[in-house]
Amino acid sequence: MSLTRIDLPLEKLTQPRTEDDIQEALARERARLQAMMGMDSRPVRHFQRPVERPFSAQERNKVTILFGGLTWKHERVIQAVFEGCGYKCEILPVPDVAGFQLGKEYGNNGQCNPTYFTVGNLVKFLQSLQSRGLTKQEIIDNFVFFTAGSCGPCRFGMYESEYRLALQNAGFDGFRVLLFQQNDGVKAASGEAGLKFTVDFGVGMLNALNLGDIMHEMIYRIRPYEVEKGKTDKVFQASIDTLCTMLRERKPFEDHEDLPEWMSSRIKEHKGEKWEICVNSLLKVREQLYGNPYKDALQAVRDQLATIEVDRLRVKPIVKIIGEFWAQTTEGDGNFHMFDFLEREGAQVLVEPIATWIMYMMYQVKARAAARRALDAPYKNPHWWELHKLAKNELKFKQKQWMIGVGERIYARQYHRVVEGLGDIAHHLIDQKEMAEMANPFYNEFARGGEGHLEVGKNVYYTKHRLCHMVLALKPFGCMPSSQSDGVQSAVANHFKEMIFLPIETSGEGEINAHSRVQMALGEAKVKARAEFEQVLQSTGKRLDDIKDYVAEHPELRNLFYPVPQREGVTGIAANFVLHVSDLMNGKARIQRISPPATATLSPAAA
Ligand code: SF4
């Protein structure tokens, strides 16, 4: 088909063209093309998103909500919140290669790796229900899938339609997919009455995410140093049970029941009025975040964890994991079981919390608003004497900054409260502004999609602050944003000569190849960690055996929660520990007394 010029009457060609001229020419051209394609005689049928059968409140008792894709720690506590709010809920198995193959079989071509893994994993689970004797109709009627959604710009925007397509192709047409949209910030988009985003549910999920994140980091922080092999896993299982019991069984706060009698009787008279709903919601939030059940559960978990004895004199390279959200989170075939592999090879893994992503989204809203300040102002280019216009512009801008700023502070505050409540050994959240500034010379903070500038920012941040010996980027096959940042990382690595950085592309195959590449880079990191340790030990002027003897005589130093100061420029746990023990031996520091577990109640499995 050849393109033709958009014609205008001759006299108009010599005059400046107006908007009307352009519209007129466009209409004529559209009519010509429609006639050419035979579309002028047919009614126009635009694409409509398929109308899905709603998940109604009446179904709540019989329909099971399926979800997955995070770590077992996150999933268990999230499940407990669902159950505590009255939902039936089941966790999908960790996505594996068989699921990946099903995703390829039933999904579109050219998708990224996490799409195949997660979509195929759902199909695989539904097929397993069938093999247990359920009919397709029973599965469609009695299960729904809950997942995050987005508008892109990467393939994350296609997940919802990919789920629907694969389900349709696999014979589960009509299976319901409920979405939690992330593109508009942290806004719930499911309008389904069956799944209600109440205050208890929302704050419960916030608690669950924080607890999942921190427990996830702590298990990788502790296990490489455990004295008794296998103890960490057992204790963490029991600790997650404790948290789940609290999240599932805590009674939701109600003002007319839980306030003192003289108040609750008055409140009963006004139940359902706007101010009462508002007050009740605020008190619910307070009780969820600061109430005794929460504090007691944190204390109980801390006591349970305190039963793990650690040996901090093991020299281990710290490997910081970065990469695409799903690939850096999953603990299975989706990233070649990379965390287990690294630990087996003698490394300490530093994982990434989901909270970083949430803080990134809030930071992005603020930064974009700042960049678009003049564009979004109610009054464009006011003169300097038009003070009321200038004031209104300023107010509009500041309102958004304050609102998001408050959100950031509350979120970070809650996160750090849980870190402290669980013994203060997990990391605090990174300042997003600082990370963006570090990434900006290499990767613009407004280049959206996937992890955006985070991969580059984290690589620079952890290297500059000497928080790890090696950075491992896990990026899925076919991931658009990760391919972009991969290109940039070579410039970053050239800039920081001491950096050990390895990008690994994850897919449904090639595990041995990936492990062998990691082994090579890890070899360098081990040398780096060992050299740091030897240098530090030498600087103390002490023999390692003397340090060991001192530690053997002081059980506090084998306590998991003993606070070892982190020295500027010293990365390894063992190196920092040796410096501290040396100070203790020289009388430059005093041993911190750690109170024994007060209420350690281990389940029989962990005892
Ligand atoms: S970030 Fe990459 S892997 Fe993740 S959804 Fe987007 S394109 Fe796919």
Side-chain angles (χ1 to χ4, degrees), residues 207 211 242-243 246-247 250 286-303 413-414 417-418 420-423 599:
N207 283 338
L211 290 168
T242 303
L243 294 173
M246 178 271 295
L247 291 167
R250 73 188 300 179
R286 189 185 169 285
E287 206 278 334
Q288 282 265 6
L289 299 177
Y290 298 93
N292 285 338
Y294 197 57
K295 282 196 256 176
D296 293 348
L298 293 185
Q299 181 60 48
V301 167
R302 196 176 155 153
D303 292 346
R413 171 79 195 103
Q414 288 313 319
R417 266 190 65 226
V418 182
E420 283 153 25
L422 290 176
T599 55

Side-chain angles (χ1 to χ4, degrees), residues 111-115 153-159 324-327 449-452 455 475-483:
Q111 294 301 307
C112 54
N113 190 28
T115 322
C154 74
R155 293 192 191 88
F156 195 21
M158 302 297 297
Y159 270 39
E324 187 268 347
F325 180 85
W326 184 77
E451 291 271 306
E455 288 188 37
K475 38 201 61 251
F477 169 75
C479 172
M480 179 193 77
S482 277
S483 307

Side-chain angles (χ1 to χ4, degrees), residues 315-429:
V315 182
K316 289 181 177 286
I318 299 177
V319 179
K320 172 65 194 161
I321 304 293
I322 65 167
E324 187 268 347
F325 180 85
W326 184 77
Q328 70 177 352
T329 305
T330 189
E331 295 176 299
D333 288 348
N335 62 11
F336 303 132
H337 298 266
M338 195 55 82
F339 308 153
D340 282 351
F341 174 74
L342 284 164
E343 276 194 6
R344 279 202 310 275
E345 289 295 309
Q348 179 199 327
V349 180
L350 185 50
V351 289
E352 190 61 51
I354 294 171
T356 307
W357 175 253
I358 295 168
M359 294 299 283
Y360 162 74
M361 285 196 293
M362 288 196 270
Y363 170 77
Q364 282 284 309
V365 175
K366 259 171 67 181
R368 277 171 194 282
R372 293 180 54 90
R373 186 176 183 164
L375 288 173
D376 294 340
Y379 297 99
K380 311 284 178 237
N381 304 320
H383 295 290
W384 65 266
W385 64 82
E386 295 177 298
L387 293 182
H388 68 289
K389 290 186 181 174
L390 290 167
K392 278 199 174 164
N393 283 353
E394 184 68 14
L395 191 66
K396 170 139 194 261
F397 172 70
K398 282 278 162 35
Q399 259 176 352
K400 192 163 196 176
Q401 297 290 311
W402 284 331
M403 266 173 57
I404 305 291
V406 168
E408 280 177 327
R409 279 183 191 201
I410 292 176
Y411 192 84
R413 171 79 195 103
Q414 288 313 319
Y415 188 90
H416 296 144
R417 266 190 65 226
V418 182
V419 170
E420 283 153 25
L422 290 176
D424 214 3
I425 49 176
H427 281 81
H428 282 212
L429 294 174

